[in-house]
Amino acid sequence: PERADPLGRRPDDKGRGRRVSLTPADLRHEAHGIAAALPPLLADAEHLAANLMIGEHGRRRPGMGEEFWQYRPAMPTDEARLIDWRRSGRSDQQFIREREWQASQTVLIWVDPAQSMGFASRGRVPKADRARTLAMAVAILLLRAGERVGLTGHEVPPRSGDIQVLRLAGSLLSATGGDYGAPEIRGMLPKSRALFVSDFMGPIDQVEDALTQAADRGVKGALLQVLDPDEEAFPYDGRTVFESMGGGLTHETLQAASLRPRYLQRLAERKARLADLARLTGWRYDCHHTGESAQAALLWLYGALERVR
């Protein structure tokens, strides 16, 4: 029988590809494949978030809200009704009682769907699994705090509410990419916050372009580089064949150990470059290894997104 390629095209009589719709059986099979991975991802993310439940939080600045923020000296332009007379009665100066701003904000997330994220050394989880779990745990925390969370691009626009968790998880599990990924900035709203999670092993200029364009829109956020411990240590020796996860790149050497110093230097340079890019654009950067605690990475992510307001 005639078989479709991954884009859903079948060859016509001249060998060209023509677009066709998926059959109901194809669609059902694909849906079952995505749904099968959904419960484990949500369970891991919920468990991780539950260990770090911080509760309702404000926006670390004065504005509309119920929670006390600070007292500040009254200014000539302040209305008399705003003065806190009880606090002012304890000094010779009048004070204004400010509340903490609690309007919801928008956070957009990009998790690298590239095949390089599928790498895992013996006994470790794939980078993609850790990246998606951390992203979902952050999303759960933010949604429960009243924020609007979505994915960059246009597949899952930012919304609030529990149902958004399912939308995010479904889209993250179905996303696919090439050998290496580049941050997606389509749909990024001005003055919003963002989170990019990747191994950042692709062209660094694409990361620079994305951060520059985000900064031009007033977007600040966090970069989390996820690496396998073997990618950090390079424990290879003797004859070794290195191949990208997608099979697009291959390199064979008889003396892998001789490549270690140069590899480690280039990795250190890349991490330093990512940190510099984050600093110059008002973002924050950290590197997480899949052999480390996911809870520690989640704590850093949540704090980083709070501090880049």
Side-chain angles (χ1 to χ4, degrees), residues 205-270:
D205 59 322
Q206 295 179 349
V207 181
E208 182 175 0
D209 290 344
L211 287 182
T212 301
Q213 293 182 52
D216 289 342
R217 301 179 191 180
V219 177
K220 294 183 180 180
L223 299 176
L224 181 66
Q225 185 177 27
V226 178
L227 297 177
D228 186 274
D230 279 10
E231 292 177 315
E232 190 75 54
F234 199 84
Y236 307 110
D237 197 2
R239 181 178 181 274
T240 308
V241 177
F242 296 98
E243 186 177 46
S244 62
M245 295 298 294
L249 298 173
T250 303
H251 177 74
E252 181 177 356
T253 178
L254 296 177
Q255 296 180 340
S258 65
L259 301 178
R260 186 176 296 116
R262 185 168 45 169
Y263 168 84
L264 295 178
Q265 178 183 354
R266 294 189 64 178
L267 179 61
E269 290 172 352
R270 172 157 298 228

Side-chain angles (χ1 to χ4, degrees), residues 14-309:
K14 295 182 180 179
R16 294 189 295 267
R18 56 184 173 86
R19 185 84 182 193
V20 297
S21 299
L22 291 173
T23 67
D26 292 335
L27 186 58
R28 184 168 58 253
H29 178 74
E30 183 177 348
H32 278 303
I34 295 173
L38 194 58
L41 172 61
L42 289 178
D44 290 345
E46 287 277 4
H47 178 72
L48 189 57
N51 290 332
L52 197 71
M53 286 307 297
I54 301 176
E56 293 291 334
H57 69 288
R59 272 49 183 189
R60 301 296 187 262
R61 67 177 92 171
M64 297 289 292
E66 299 296 328
E67 299 297 325
F68 170 73
W69 171 243
Q70 65 181 3
Y71 290 110
R72 66 168 176 81
M75 306 292 290
T77 54
D78 291 323
E79 299 179 29
R81 63 181 181 84
L82 299 177
I83 296 174
D84 188 294
W85 295 106
R86 179 177 296 180
R87 172 65 181 86
S88 301
R90 299 200 299 268
S91 67
D92 295 331
Q93 190 174 10
Q94 294 177 336
F95 288 89
I96 301 295
R97 179 187 178 94
E98 292 185 326
R99 294 182 174 88
E100 189 173 5
W101 183 50
Q102 291 181 316
S104 62
Q105 290 195 355
T106 297
V107 182
L108 291 163
I109 298 173
W110 173 75
V111 178
D112 192 347
Q115 296 180 61
S116 67
M117 295 292 289
F119 177 74
S121 59
R122 187 183 300 274
R124 306 295 184 189
V125 299
K127 293 183 291 183
D129 288 359
R130 179 60 58 85
R132 287 191 291 252
T133 299
L134 286 171
M136 283 303 305
V138 168
I140 289 169
L141 290 173
L142 293 171
L143 287 167
R144 289 178 179 172
E147 309 284 32
R148 301 169 67 246
V149 182
L151 301 180
T152 58
H154 301 293
E155 286 76 14
V156 185
R159 293 189 178 95
S160 57
D162 291 340
I163 192 64
Q164 186 71 347
V165 173
L166 295 177
R167 299 190 188 105
L168 295 170
S171 184
L172 288 177
L173 286 170
S174 62
T176 58
D179 270 348
Y180 300 99
E184 169 68 84
I185 62 171
R186 290 182 303 125
M188 193 169 287
L189 303 175
K191 306 297 182 181
S192 61
R193 288 177 291 156
L195 168 63
F196 293 166
V197 187
S198 171
D199 56 11
F200 295 110
M201 289 295 195
I204 193 70
D205 59 322
Q206 295 179 349
V207 181
E208 182 175 0
D209 290 344
L211 287 182
T212 301
Q213 293 182 52
D216 289 342
R217 301 179 191 180
V219 177
K220 294 183 180 180
L223 299 176
L224 181 66
Q225 185 177 27
V226 178
L227 297 177
D228 186 274
D230 279 10
E231 292 177 315
E232 190 75 54
F234 199 84
Y236 307 110
D237 197 2
R239 181 178 181 274
T240 308
V241 177
F242 296 98
E243 186 177 46
S244 62
M245 295 298 294
L249 298 173
T250 303
H251 177 74
E252 181 177 356
T253 178
L254 296 177
Q255 296 180 340
S258 65
L259 301 178
R260 186 176 296 116
R262 185 168 45 169
Y263 168 84
L264 295 178
Q265 178 183 354
R266 294 189 64 178
L267 179 61
E269 290 172 352
R270 172 157 298 228
K271 292 166 70 174
R273 180 60 178 152
L274 289 168
D276 288 342
L277 287 173
R279 177 179 53 81
L280 292 172
T281 54
W283 286 48
R284 300 182 69 86
Y285 162 81
D286 193 27
C287 181
H288 169 70
H289 300 136
T290 55
E292 298 173 347
S293 165
Q295 188 171 344
L298 177 59
L299 181 62
W300 179 86
L301 281 173
Y302 193 84
L305 291 173
E306 286 291 290
R307 290 190 290 269
V308 296
R309 296 180 186 276

